[in-house]
Amino acid sequence: LEHLYVIEKVMTSEIKKILKKSERNKPFKHKPLDSTLDRSSKYKAPENMKPSKEFTSILQAKERLDSSTQSLIELLEVYGPEELKVNSGKHPAFGTISVEQWVEFIGLHEKRHLAQIKEMVEKRIVND
């Protein structure tokens, strides 16, 4: 949960910077982000996106994740859908993508880890 919180917090900060600049970059290609869900491919998170193990409980981690999600929602409510499509920035894994795709990545990244968590729970149930 802390990793998801850190990713969402950093991504929200980057999205905010991109939207504040309001630099409409040259036309860019919509990139397929589905590879995010492919857990056979491992990715190493950049240092600033790794968990620091600062949380003392699952409840604290969940509260922080809820808070970062709310911050993202509040930011996106300020801008119209068109602004999310025409503004872009360099993503650490996919290169230059639209803000719309940055937001899509956050959801896919969480979905990837949800599958990982479910797999871990299933293995534990089978082994217990």
Side-chain angles (χ1 to χ4, degrees):
L1 287 178
E2 183 182 2
H3 172 66
L4 297 178
Y5 157 74
V6 170
I7 291 285
E8 191 167 67
K9 183 176 144 188
V10 170
M11 295 277 166
T12 299
S13 175
E14 290 301 313
I15 289 168
K16 184 183 281 187
K17 288 177 195 172
I18 293 166
L19 290 169
K20 278 189 176 183
K21 285 181 185 177
S22 193
E23 292 178 3
R24 294 168 188 235
N25 296 321
K26 294 178 184 175
F28 47 89
K29 193 175 183 179
H30 187 83
K31 297 187 179 168
L33 303 180
D34 290 344
S35 63
T36 304
L37 299 175
D38 179 6
R39 290 191 37 249
S40 67
S41 299
K42 303 294 180 191
Y43 298 96
K44 196 152 179 114
E47 283 304 313
N48 68 330
M49 295 185 190
K50 290 183 179 177
S52 63
K53 299 182 173 115
E54 69 178 85
F55 298 149
T56 56
S57 69
I58 296 287
L59 179 60
Q60 184 184 30
K62 185 183 176 316
E63 287 171 352
R64 292 273 181 91
L65 182 57
D66 289 346
S67 174
S68 66
T69 300
Q70 187 59 39
S71 293
L72 175 61
I73 290 167
E74 288 170 7
L75 173 64
L76 297 175
E77 286 175 342
V78 173
Y79 297 89
E82 190 60 27
E83 290 298 305
L84 304 183
K85 289 178 183 173
V86 298
N87 286 287
S88 62
K90 187 169 172 127
H91 185 276
F94 292 99
T96 302
I97 59 175
S98 68
V99 170
E100 181 180 57
Q101 284 208 283
W102 277 73
V103 174
E104 180 184 355
F105 170 80
I106 294 169
L108 290 170
H109 176 259
E110 289 189 7
K111 195 172 181 180
R112 173 189 179 99
H113 285 291
L114 179 60
Q116 183 181 25
I117 291 166
K118 285 180 178 178
E119 183 180 292
M120 290 168 48
V121 168
E122 287 172 11
K123 283 181 182 177
R124 186 167 183 190
I125 290 171
V126 170
N127 291 332
D128 283 346

